[in-house]
Amino acid sequence: MANRPKRTFRPRRADSSDSDSAQETSAEPGATGEQAARDPAVEGPPSGRGHAEVAELLRRGRGRRRGRAWASSRHAARAAPRLDESSDVPESRMVDLSADEEDGAHHSSESKDDQSSSPNSSRTLEDEFSSVVNIPDAAVMQATYRKCKLARAQEDYISLDVKHTFTNSGMKKNSEDSESEPDDFKDIMPFTPKPQTLRQRMAEETTTRNEETSDDSQDEKTQDIWEQQQMRKAVKITKGQDIDLSYSHESQTVKKFDASISFPPVSLEIIKKKLNTRLTLLQDTHRSHLREYEKYIQDIKSSKSTIQNLENSSNQTLSFKFYKSMKIYVENLIDCLNEKIISIQEIESAMHALLLKQAMIFMKRRQDELKHESAYLQQLSCKPETSINKSLAMDEKTQWILEEAESRRARRRQARILSGNCTHEEGTSSDDELSSADMIDFQKSQGDILQDHKKIFEDVHSDFCNIQNILLRFRQWREKFPDSYYEAFISLCIPKLLNPLIRFQLIDWNPLKFDSIGLKQMPWFTSIEEFIDCSMEDSKKEDSSDKKILSTVINKTVIPRLIGFVEFIWDPLSTTQTTSLVTQCRMILEEHSTCENEVNKGKQDLLKSIVSRMKKAIEDDVFIPLYPKSAVENRTSPHSKFQERQFWSGLKLFGNILLWNELLPEDTLQELGLGKLLNRYLIIALLNAIPGPDVVKKCSQIAAYLPEKWFQNSAMRTSIPQLENFIQFLLQSARKLSRNEIRDEVKEIILILVKIKALNQAESFIEECHLDHLRSVIKEFE
């Protein structure tokens, strides 16, 4: 018999103590219940009743263990003491009474005292056995074995093992062996419904493999059988599957019906009663569903009737349809604008970047020219101690820059001569010409941006991109349902809805160009004005909230765009740009101030950016060099020309700053124009100049730029404090000219003093220089 496998799922080798029983089990073929295939070995019977007891043992062995050749060595060892205790018969000997000649296996077992028994006693015991038991010879036993084997072959059974066939009788013999085996494996886990059957199969399989194959092959086969048995138990393989296992008929227990279980009586009435109960429940459920269905039908009819009644009611239908259509329209409008606002921002940024690039080109070029020309003239004024190589390298770079600047000035002079403008002074030009290549590149980039600009709303219906059509919808709301219109605060919503569309129209608007369209001529501006005018006519309220729509639009949409131009693109030295910007700002800040709080806030932001930009221009762009009088006496010298250009450039900036009169506060304007520019740069340059007609011309131009509003007070006898330095320079120049008897220039200076309300200083000068003929000039202005 084979032992159970280890936890590693590999079977153990059979112990030496069990080898005898395993060999006996596997060496002999089985026999049926009708034929005894094995003869038992018994010990010699005791005197007196030995024959009777031996005969009885043989009869019991054949009756209880039919088909078993011999008992195991353990059974014989246990039987010997019992016989010794019951009699004093000499030691007996165990004899093998049967053998399986076909298999060639002979089993014999001898008692422990076999060496001490004599031949005579053995012969006597065999004779006694022969008189009691009729022991068949080998030929009879062989014939009986073949007969049993043929009978087994004719039995109706199905072998489940396709590789190794095992007979039913062999299984029965193994099952009988298991009854007499010792309890060596009581602690084996019951892996199958009948652990005994599993041990029998494993023992028979192990014994057969020991005879046919080596020990390693036996271990693998036993392990396979064990694993397959566990897998069968785990997955519950059905009975008809083809697996490599053999099952005994005894292990396949059939579950039979237990007749002892009693069931409640079943009759036709009981079945009918249950069916009726079930039918009643289903009918109740069906009736409840019918009631719910009828209720829903009534609700639908009632809803349809209500809808019909509402549609038939003229006032309610009109308001409902209008509000519904207005809701849908506004939702679609918002969706459209949310989708297009990204494209608008991209195009807007691209245009702003293009204009900024152009402005930076002009500014850098002007600063480079100023730097190189100033350095070049400074070298001319210095002693010839500068390194020659360094001077040559600097001269080459400076020469190219100065030639480019001079060529542009020559083209401008030629253009002025052709136009008949002969009063232009060098240095007052904006110098904003581009080369032909740069101009072509700029125009191409601008054209591409404008082309993309036109494509933004090309797939949108006019009702959602035309400001006039959009305002027409809200105008209808205001006319039909004015109460709900004003309660909804539509005047606060319209500027937000129109913001993307107005920005779309302002993409190609440049407030710095002299020919730029004004805001009043723009379509969105006129549409909003018409909407506000109709509101004033329809509404009886004088403080209609619609009046603030235009000012809100300007504050939220136009002013932020203007601030961007002022901070990054505007050149304060350009009179054209400054004049155009002042015009646009004047219209925005003065004519549309109905909403004081909001417009004032936007106005302050705009004016702050303007003041900041002009301060930066004064600090970065104004440079008037001072040279010795010997270097500037010659009007054709490079020093004199450069100084004149820079002075007129600073004077041009002075005039551009004073263009913001009435827009910027007076104190701010006077601080910028008079304090930072006139007194710090222009007066110092005039003091370094030679008195003469040119100086008087420059002073007259300064006085012409001064706003007349500052001197409108008739009671003024003294000018504003910031002009005190200028007045003293005028008096100084007049005295010098008077001594040289240049009367016309002296009279011009007296007129300048009178214009700026320096009347006391003018009278003192006339009395001092005895210029009584000029008193009439003072009386004319008084």
Side-chain angles (χ1 to χ4, degrees):
M1 173 181 286
N3 293 331
R4 64 173 179 179
K6 295 182 180 180
R7 293 295 297 270
T8 57
F9 300 106
R10 307 300 302 174
R12 243 182 356 208
R13 281 177 164 265
D15 295 338
S16 59
S17 61
D18 297 338
S19 59
D20 295 339
S21 61
Q23 290 174 359
E24 292 168 2
T25 305
S26 59
E28 300 169 357
T32 62
E34 300 172 355
Q35 176 67 31
R38 284 163 285 181
D39 294 335
V42 296
E43 297 178 354
S47 59
R49 51 187 182 95
H51 292 294
E53 291 179 356
V54 170
E56 182 65 22
L57 288 173
L58 292 175
R59 187 166 54 252
R60 291 179 181 176
R62 283 194 296 269
R64 185 176 67 251
R65 298 197 175 272
R66 309 181 73 87
R68 183 173 179 83
W70 193 250
S72 65
S73 59
R74 299 188 186 96
H75 286 85
R78 284 195 298 266
R82 290 196 299 267
L83 295 177
D84 292 338
E85 292 174 0
S86 58
S87 64
D88 296 329
V89 179
E91 296 175 353
S92 63
R93 178 179 180 179
M94 299 180 66
V95 185
D96 186 2
L97 300 181
S98 66
D100 190 351
E101 294 179 0
E102 180 178 322
D103 295 336
H106 298 277
H107 302 279
S108 63
S109 174
E110 295 180 355
S111 63
K112 296 179 182 179
D113 300 327
D114 188 34
Q115 299 296 332
S116 60
S117 59
S118 62
N120 296 330
S121 61
S122 298
R123 177 74 58 181
T124 306
L125 180 59
E126 289 177 3
D127 295 339
E128 293 177 355
F129 267 145
S130 299
S131 61
V132 178
V133 181
N134 186 14
I135 300 175
D137 56 3
V140 176
M141 293 179 64
Q142 189 70 18
T144 305
Y145 172 74
R146 291 194 183 94
K147 182 178 179 180
C148 293
K149 185 175 181 180
L150 181 62
R152 286 196 302 273
Q154 293 178 356
E155 288 183 359
D156 186 12
Y157 73 99
I158 299 176
S159 176
L160 297 179
D161 191 350
V162 296
K163 296 181 180 179
H164 306 283
T165 57
F166 302 97
T167 60
N168 253 348
S169 60
M171 292 183 177
K172 292 179 182 179
K173 183 183 73 172
N174 288 338
S175 64
E176 290 176 358
D177 287 348
S178 63
E179 295 176 2
S180 60
E181 287 175 356
D183 300 331
D184 292 342
F185 301 95
K186 289 184 178 180
D187 55 344
I188 295 177
M189 293 179 64
F191 293 110
T192 58
K194 286 189 176 183
Q196 305 91 319
T197 305
L198 178 59
R199 289 198 302 271
Q200 292 174 1
R201 288 198 301 273
M202 291 177 67
E204 182 178 359
E205 183 68 15
T206 304
T207 305
T208 306
R209 300 299 168 84
N210 286 335
E211 294 177 354
E212 296 177 354
T213 62
S214 65
D215 293 342
D216 293 340
S217 176
Q218 172 189 357
D219 294 343
E220 292 178 0
K221 295 297 182 178
T222 307
Q223 174 66 16
D224 292 341
I225 294 174
W226 187 85
E227 288 178 355
Q228 291 179 11
Q229 179 67 20
Q230 302 311 309
M231 290 172 65
R232 176 180 174 276
K233 179 177 178 61
V235 300
K236 298 182 179 179
I237 299 176
T238 55
K239 184 176 181 180
Q241 289 179 327
D242 183 14
I243 58 175
D244 190 13
L245 288 174
S246 298
Y247 301 94
S248 63
H249 293 292
E250 292 83 2
S251 64
Q252 299 176 354
T253 58
V254 179
K255 188 176 181 180
K256 299 181 179 180
F257 176 72
D258 191 359
S260 63
I261 300 175
S262 62
F263 292 95
V266 178
S267 62
L268 184 60
E269 293 297 330
I270 295 175
I271 296 174
K272 182 178 180 182
K273 182 178 179 181
K274 290 186 177 182
L275 290 176
N276 288 334
T277 303
R278 177 62 176 168
L279 179 61
T280 303
L281 292 176
L282 294 177
Q283 289 176 350
D284 293 341
T285 303
H286 179 64
R287 282 192 294 270
S288 64
H289 290 170
L290 287 178
R291 287 193 296 270
E292 292 180 0
Y293 174 75
E294 293 175 357
K295 180 182 178 182
Y296 294 149
I297 294 297
Q298 292 297 327
D299 292 342
I300 293 173
K301 292 181 179 179
S302 176
S303 300
K304 290 182 178 180
S305 176
T306 303
I307 293 172
Q308 189 67 26
N309 294 334
L310 291 175
E311 290 179 352
N312 294 333
S313 177
S314 59
N315 295 332
Q316 294 179 353
T317 302
L318 180 62
S319 61
F320 173 76
K321 288 183 177 179
F322 177 80
Y323 288 135
K324 184 176 181 180
S325 63
M326 198 68 189
K327 177 179 178 294
I328 296 174
Y329 173 77
V330 172
E331 289 177 350
N332 293 334
L333 176 62
I334 293 174
D335 292 340
C336 174
L337 296 179
N338 287 336
E339 181 178 348
K340 298 299 182 180
I341 189 63
I342 300 176
S343 301
I344 293 173
Q345 289 175 349
E346 292 177 353
I347 300 298
E348 193 176 45
S349 300
M351 180 63 75
H352 183 78
L354 181 64
L355 297 176
L356 176 61
K357 179 181 178 182
Q358 185 186 41
M360 295 302 295
I361 290 174
F362 294 148
M363 183 180 300
K364 186 176 185 302
R365 186 177 67 185
R366 181 172 61 241
Q367 292 177 354
D368 289 344
E369 290 176 0
L370 177 62
K371 176 182 177 181
H372 286 87
E373 188 170 4
S374 175
Y376 170 72
L377 296 176
Q378 188 67 24
Q379 284 183 356
L380 294 179
S381 301
C382 293
K383 297 179 181 181
E385 298 176 357
T386 310
S387 175
I388 297 176
N389 295 332
K390 184 176 180 181
S391 300
L392 290 175
M394 183 177 296
D395 288 343
E396 290 179 359
K397 185 176 182 181
T398 303
Q399 187 67 26
W400 179 81
I401 294 175
L402 295 181
E403 287 177 358
E404 289 291 327
E406 186 60 31
S407 64
R408 291 194 302 273
R409 284 194 290 268
R411 287 193 297 268
R412 290 195 294 270
R413 279 195 299 268
Q414 187 66 26
R416 287 194 298 269
I417 292 172
L418 294 176
S419 64
N421 183 11
C422 299
T423 61
H424 182 80
E425 297 291 340
E426 291 289 342
T428 57
S429 298
S430 299
D431 193 17
D432 54 358
E433 296 91 355
L434 286 173
S435 63
S436 58
D438 293 339
M439 181 60 68
I440 292 173
D441 184 47
F442 174 79
Q443 291 177 352
K444 181 180 181 301
S445 300
Q446 188 178 31
D448 295 340
I449 293 173
L450 295 178
Q451 191 68 22
D452 295 338
H453 164 257
K454 294 179 181 179
K455 296 179 181 179
I456 293 178
F457 285 103
E458 66 179 1
D459 59 342
V460 179
H461 194 272
S462 60
D463 289 344
F464 299 95
C465 63
N466 191 308
I467 294 179
Q468 187 175 3
N469 294 343
I470 294 173
L471 292 177
L472 181 60
R473 292 291 189 107
F474 290 99
R475 181 179 174 182
Q476 294 175 356
W477 186 359
R478 184 178 60 193
E479 292 175 354
K480 294 180 180 179
F481 309 101
D483 294 337
S484 62
Y485 173 85
Y486 289 107
E487 289 175 358
F489 298 99
I490 300 301
S491 60
L492 300 178
C493 302
I494 289 178
K496 296 181 180 180
L497 288 176
L498 300 183
N499 177 271
L501 299 174
I502 296 174
R503 290 170 60 183
F504 170 77
Q505 295 186 19
L506 293 177
I507 285 177
D508 59 344
W509 176 64
N510 188 352
L512 304 179
K513 294 176 64 175
F514 70 95
D515 58 347
S516 63
I517 185 174
L519 292 178
K520 288 185 177 181
Q521 288 75 37
M522 291 186 176
W524 65 268
F525 193 95
T526 56
S527 299
I528 294 176
E529 277 190 333
E530 292 177 1
F531 183 78
I532 293 174
D533 295 339
C534 294
S535 173
M536 300 298 293
E537 296 175 0
D538 298 338
S539 177
K540 298 180 181 180
K541 302 179 182 179
E542 296 182 356
D543 57 344
S544 176
S545 58
D546 288 345
K547 295 188 298 182
K548 302 178 182 180
I549 293 177
L550 185 57
S551 60
T552 305
V553 167
I554 291 174
N555 187 44
K556 300 293 185 182
T557 306
V558 180
I559 288 181
R561 184 166 179 79
L562 273 176
I563 291 176
F565 275 96
V566 168
E567 291 180 348
F568 302 103
I569 302 174
W570 173 44
D571 182 12
L573 289 174
S574 173
T575 303
T576 303
Q577 293 184 11
T578 304
T579 303
S580 177
L581 183 63
V582 168
T583 303
Q584 300 290 348
C585 293
R586 192 181 301 277
M587 186 274 299
I588 292 172
L589 300 178
E590 289 184 353
E591 297 187 11
H592 300 283
S593 57
T594 56
C595 185
E596 294 295 336
N597 294 332
E598 293 185 1
V599 171
N600 280 340
K601 183 180 182 302
K603 178 180 178 180
Q604 294 302 322
D605 294 339
L606 178 60
L607 295 181
K608 286 180 181 179
S609 64
I610 293 171
V611 172
S612 176
R613 182 67 185 91
M614 288 191 296
K615 285 182 180 180
K616 188 175 185 299
I618 293 173
E619 295 173 356
D620 297 343
D621 297 327
V622 177
F623 173 71
I624 304 175
L626 299 178
Y627 298 110
K629 289 185 179 182
S630 61
V632 296
E633 284 179 353
N634 185 6
R635 306 293 297 177
T636 60
S637 65
H639 300 82
S640 178
K641 290 181 179 180
F642 181 65
Q643 189 181 55
E644 286 295 312
R645 285 198 306 269
Q646 291 303 116
F647 179 85
W648 284 106
S649 176
L651 186 57
K652 179 184 177 182
L653 178 59
F654 176 77
N656 292 341
I657 291 174
L658 295 180
L659 287 176
W660 293 97
N661 180 41
E662 297 180 356
L663 294 178
L664 292 176
E666 288 186 4
D667 55 347
T668 303
L669 202 61
Q670 291 174 4
E671 180 185 358
L672 286 174
L674 303 180
K676 292 183 176 297
L677 186 54
L678 178 62
N679 295 330
R680 184 178 298 178
Y681 293 99
L682 300 180
I683 296 297
I684 294 176
L686 291 173
L687 290 173
N688 193 48
I690 300 174
D694 293 337
V695 173
V696 175
K697 182 180 179 180
K698 294 174 182 178
C699 293
S700 299
Q701 190 63 44
I702 292 173
Y705 285 143
L706 295 174
E708 295 181 357
K709 184 180 179 181
W710 293 357
F711 314 105
Q712 287 181 353
N713 188 0
S714 59
M716 288 181 62
R717 302 292 296 181
T718 304
S719 184
I720 57 179
Q722 288 83 352
L723 291 175
E724 186 62 29
N725 293 333
F726 181 60
I727 294 171
Q728 292 301 324
F729 172 75
L730 290 174
L731 293 175
Q732 181 182 353
S733 299
R735 291 187 184 96
K736 291 181 181 181
L737 294 172
S738 176
R739 286 194 294 269
N740 295 331
E741 295 183 358
I742 304 177
R743 297 181 182 271
D744 292 338
E745 281 74 10
V746 173
K747 182 180 178 180
E748 188 69 26
I749 292 174
I750 296 299
L751 291 176
I752 294 173
L753 291 173
V754 173
K755 181 181 179 181
I756 62 176
K757 291 297 182 176
L759 300 178
N760 294 336
Q761 289 87 345
E763 291 176 353
S764 300
F765 174 74
I766 291 172
E767 291 178 358
E768 180 184 350
C769 295
H770 305 286
L771 302 174
D772 295 337
H773 62 283
L774 296 177
R775 291 184 184 273
S776 60
V777 177
I778 298 175
K779 291 180 180 180
E780 290 178 3
F781 285 92
E782 292 178 351

